[in-house]
Amino acid sequence: MKPILERLPVGGRLAVIRLRSLGDCILTTPALQILKDARPDLRIGVVVEQRFAAVFEDSPYVDRILAPSASALALWRPHVVLNFHGGTRSIALTLASLAGYRGGFDHFRAGWAYNVHLPRAQQVLGVDRKVHTAEHLASAMFYLGAAPREIPAGSLFATPWPRKRPYALIHPFASAPSKAWPMERFVALAEQIRDHSELDPVILCGPADDASQFAEFEIQKAPLALVKSIVASASLFIGNDSGPAHMASAFGIPAVVLFGASDPAIWGPWRNSRAETLVSADISRIALSHVAAAVDRLKVLA
């Protein structure tokens, strides 16, 4: 039987349901590039919450950004829908799409909702090891019929941020306490960068983050579209395992990323040869001196 990509008509529509998390959205972009390269004629839509939609804006690999609603998806009438989320809401959206091909990974619950069952990435890639999230998502495109190839880096598109002096972008926040390096050490690191380099420390924070400990530094609390530009124009990124860290990797920015509860083999900087990862099951055990040494190894501080 022909692979699914070979069964789709010219100009066919394929929707990827990608709910939740900035990092997950960014790590979906290599799969979208593989898909578009394999079938440039296909119209690719991404179903995503508005707060993360900027990840896919201006991408040559995405033709439509769709609201996560049954009506938006059904009106677009995709021939294929791929559920990359797997939760209850995404299952409902998968069914509401009325797509002829409904794909979900084998480990997802409610397997009855899918008529295309995507196997484990290890099976598709022919490996016996942990796979990175980017590999896991890209493997779905190979299973659908895209030719096997090296999985590319993440792809984000942004205009430069017009700032006169070079800067080190510091993101000291995380989605859980077990993923957060102590805030006072980020302050101390920012002071070292300010006092001993030609880079200005710039603190990146989200709408709900408390950046009061960084009052002596420049703080950027910006919408995601602007965050892309701020990250893309940085000389250095330092932060916890987080969405902005994945953004830095997608732009190829030199980065120092600190890991506690999460596994860098699965969530580490993807295809960023200028990234340093520091790992401890107890992230608070990562010493300031070790982070400073990692920054020094990247040789971006004057």
Side-chain angles (χ1 to χ4, degrees), residues 29-34 37 134 138 142 149-155 270-271:
T29 61
L32 297 176
Q33 180 177 345
I34 290 169
D37 288 348
F142 300 142
R149 55 175 283 190
E150 182 177 80
I151 298 168
S155 56
W270 175 248
R271 296 281 187 228

Side-chain angles (χ1 to χ4, degrees), residues 92-276:
L93 289 170
T94 298
L95 295 172
S97 72
L98 304 178
Y101 299 107
R102 302 180 306 280
F105 288 100
D106 273 343
H107 65 273
F108 283 175
R109 55 196 171 118
W112 52 267
Y114 312 106
N115 55 17
V116 177
H117 294 270
L118 305 171
R120 295 171 67 244
Q122 286 87 344
Q123 180 180 335
V124 176
L125 301 176
V127 298
D128 184 19
R129 57 168 173 79
K130 291 179 183 179
V131 298
H132 194 279
T133 302
E135 296 178 292
H136 168 64
L137 299 173
S139 73
M141 304 310 176
F142 300 142
Y143 183 75
L144 295 180
R149 55 175 283 190
E150 182 177 80
I151 298 168
S155 56
L156 297 176
F157 301 86
T159 57
W161 190 41
R163 191 178 192 280
K164 292 182 179 180
R165 285 177 50 86
Y167 57 96
L169 187 64
I170 300 174
H171 182 249
F173 305 99
S175 59
S178 61
K179 298 174 69 174
W181 197 46
M183 199 72 72
E184 63 273 13
R185 289 185 211 165
F186 275 115
V187 173
L189 186 63
E191 290 171 345
Q192 288 185 19
I193 292 171
R194 178 195 60 199
D195 297 339
H196 302 291
S197 82
E198 294 182 1
L199 298 183
D200 294 337
V202 174
I203 311 303
L204 180 66
C205 61
D209 293 329
D210 178 8
S212 58
Q213 292 189 54
F214 298 91
E216 63 184 298
F217 304 105
E218 178 180 345
I219 297 171
Q220 287 293 328
K221 186 177 290 193
L224 186 56
L226 179 55
V227 168
K228 285 198 303 183
S229 295
I230 294 172
V231 175
S233 300
S235 297
L236 172 68
F237 175 89
I238 306 166
N240 302 307
D241 169 38
S242 62
H246 292 297
M247 192 174 287
S249 285
F251 284 120
I253 304 301
V256 176
V257 186
L258 287 68
F259 283 82
S262 49
D263 186 344
I266 299 172
W267 295 105
W270 175 248
R271 296 281 187 228
N272 186 357
S273 62
R274 299 194 292 171
E276 291 265 352

Side-chain angles (χ1 to χ4, degrees), residues 54-72:
V55 169
F56 306 103
E57 289 174 356
D58 303 315
S59 171
Y61 313 118
V62 176
D63 298 284
R64 183 72 64 86
I65 296 174
L66 299 164
S69 71
S71 59

Side-chain angles (χ1 to χ4, degrees), residues 21-43:
S21 130
L22 177 57
D24 283 339
C25 288
I26 294 166
L27 293 175
T28 299
T29 61
L32 297 176
Q33 180 177 345
I34 290 169
L35 176 61
K36 195 68 167 180
D37 288 348
R39 282 287 305 267
D41 62 292
L42 291 183
R43 292 184 53 76

Side-chain angles (χ1 to χ4, degrees), residues 268-286:
W270 175 248
R271 296 281 187 228
N272 186 357
S273 62
R274 299 194 292 171
E276 291 265 352
T277 57
L278 299 177
V279 185
S280 174
D282 179 355
I283 197 170
S284 68
R285 292 184 177 275
I286 299 176

